[in-house]
């Protein structure tokens, strides 16, 4: 059976891989982190970033022949989802976009915040989602310059100061005419790793919307389950484009049943 390829700029896609493994137990996974290009949210030459990711997918598809590719990165998919689909029409892609539609359906106060990378908040794709699905809501876009890198450090076991995290999430919390933000969309796949810290530091309780399970369900819909399958053996590969993830990252990946392939995919 062909594997499922999960792609992100770093370790954020693991939040999606975790859910996809549960729903697709018959499949092997290939995890790809373009850590040599991290953080995508800071890129200003967007043509170069698009070309980089399309080139990378060309190599990954040729090498791993996946059944399906999950682009578990809002910053990448909102930029180049259409380009990558056009470049590889024979391949199926599941994308990740800010969960603005479900947030608009669920909010009671009508006040929603979207916490994302600076890249994602600038995208026309994100503005279109708000126009199409949340025009009746008061949507606050919060572009966080540091959170993705903080999540990488946090998950590697480094200490992150509460004050630094608080500064990043504080603009999500708004109170207008007695109404308060009640949903914060986690529109970067790195952020769910820090959801417990966010909950602790939040000035009031909100729903932190993590789209990982919905993305995994979409992949499952596109790849129907087999009638029966043999239990999987072996460990799945993880490819880092730097070819140099540190020890803590390798250990983290082990916990996800992944082992780092020691060569770059670029
Ligand atoms: N994980 C990526 C996302 O979902 C963002 C991290 C980055 O800036 O590279 O948007």
């Amino acid at each position: 059976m062909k594997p499922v390829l999960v792609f992100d700029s770093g370790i954020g896609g693991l939040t999606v891989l975790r859910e996809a493994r549960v729903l697709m137990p018959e499949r092997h996974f290939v995890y790809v982190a373009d850590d040599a290009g991290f953080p995508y949210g800071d890129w200003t030459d967007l043509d170069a970033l698009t070309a980089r990711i399309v080139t990378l997918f060309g190599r990954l598809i040729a090498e791993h022949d996946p059944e399906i590719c999950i682009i578990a990165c809002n910053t990448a998919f909102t930029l180049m989802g259409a380009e990558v689909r056009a470049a590889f029409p024979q391949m199926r892609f599941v994308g990740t976009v800010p969960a603005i539609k479900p947030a608009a359906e669920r909010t009671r106060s009508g006040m929603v915040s979207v916490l994302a990378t600076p890249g994602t908040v600038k995208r026309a794709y994100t503005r279109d989602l708000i126009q199409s699905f949340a025009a009746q809501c008061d949507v606050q876009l919060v572009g966080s310059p540091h959170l993705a890198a903080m999540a990488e450090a946090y998950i590697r076991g480094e200490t992150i100061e509460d004050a630094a995290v608080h500064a990043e999430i504080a603009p999500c919390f708004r109170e207008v005419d007695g109404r308060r933000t009640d949903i914060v969309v986690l529109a970067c796949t790195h952020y769910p790793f820090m959801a417990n810290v966010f909950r602790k530091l939040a000035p009031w309780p909100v729903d932190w919307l993590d789209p990982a399970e919905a993305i995994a369900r979409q992949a499952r819909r596109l790849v129907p389950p087999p009638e029966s399958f043999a239990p999987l053996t072996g460990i799945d590969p993880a490819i880092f484009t730097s070819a140099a993830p540190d020890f803590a990252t390798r250990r983290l990946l082990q916990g996800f049943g992944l082992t780092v392939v020691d060569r770059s995919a670029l």
Side-chain angles (χ1 to χ4, degrees):
M1 246 183 250
K2 293 180 178 187
V4 175
L5 192 144
V6 179
F7 176 87
D8 182 32
S9 57
I11 57 163
L14 295 172
T15 60
V16 176
L17 177 125
R18 182 165 57 193
E19 301 295 334
R21 267 201 198 291
V22 174
L23 295 183
M24 307 174 90
E26 81 283 6
R27 295 279 165 178
H28 278 295
F29 285 77
V30 177
Y31 187 75
V32 181
D34 182 15
D35 63 330
F38 179 87
Y40 280 175
D42 286 0
W43 280 62
T44 48
D45 186 345
L46 299 181
D47 290 341
L49 180 57
T50 300
R52 175 189 178 86
I53 300 171
V54 170
T55 303
L56 190 49
F57 266 103
R59 295 188 185 162
L60 292 167
I61 291 169
E63 185 161 337
H64 299 282
D65 188 23
E67 181 71 41
I68 196 168
C69 295
I70 302 177
I71 301 184
C73 178
N74 298 264
T75 315
F77 192 78
T78 54
L79 173 68
M80 43 58 74
E83 278 81 354
V84 84
R85 282 188 169 134
F88 308 104
Q90 78 292 0
M91 178 52 58
R92 290 174 300 172
F93 291 91
V94 176
T96 302
V97 302
I100 288 165
K101 183 168 184 260
E105 286 162 2
R106 275 182 229 178
T107 178
R108 285 160 177 257
S109 68
M111 292 183 65
V112 169
S113 288
V114 178
L115 184 60
T117 66
T120 299
V121 301
K122 282 192 214 125
R123 304 270 188 264
Y125 198 123
T126 304
R127 313 261 161 181
D128 288 350
L129 285 175
I130 296 171
Q131 279 259 291
S132 308
F133 301 112
Q136 75 287 9
C137 297
D138 178 343
V139 180
Q140 172 85 347
L141 289 170
V142 179
S144 160
H146 306 301
L147 263 188
M150 280 182 192
E152 294 257 339
Y154 177 75
I155 207 70
R156 284 196 301 262
E158 292 169 31
T159 306
I160 309 292
E161 296 300 327
D162 280 356
V165 179
H166 185 263
E168 304 289 308
I169 66 167
C172 292
F173 292 85
R174 292 168 60 236
E175 197 158 10
V176 178
D177 298 333
R179 291 183 307 140
R180 301 202 292 197
T181 306
D182 64 353
I183 299 194
V184 178
V185 177
L186 297 174
C188 168
T189 50
H190 280 68
Y191 300 168
F193 278 128
M194 297 193 80
N196 283 345
V197 183
F198 297 165
R199 277 193 197 96
K200 185 182 82 180
L201 298 174
W204 58 79
V206 293
D207 267 0
W208 300 92
L209 212 70
D210 173 4
E213 196 195 328
I215 297 162
R217 268 192 270 115
Q218 174 64 1
R220 178 76 287 177
R221 265 194 293 278
L222 293 177
V223 182
E227 304 232 315
S228 64
F229 63 94
L232 294 180
T233 52
I235 289 193
D236 290 339
I239 296 155
F240 281 65
T241 55
S242 70
D246 58 21
F247 177 71
T249 304
R250 287 167 190 267
R251 211 177 39 194
L252 168 77
L253 289 158
Q254 249 177 22
F256 281 84
L258 296 162
T259 191
V260 175
V261 175
D262 275 314
R263 71 186 158 67
S264 173
L266 271 181

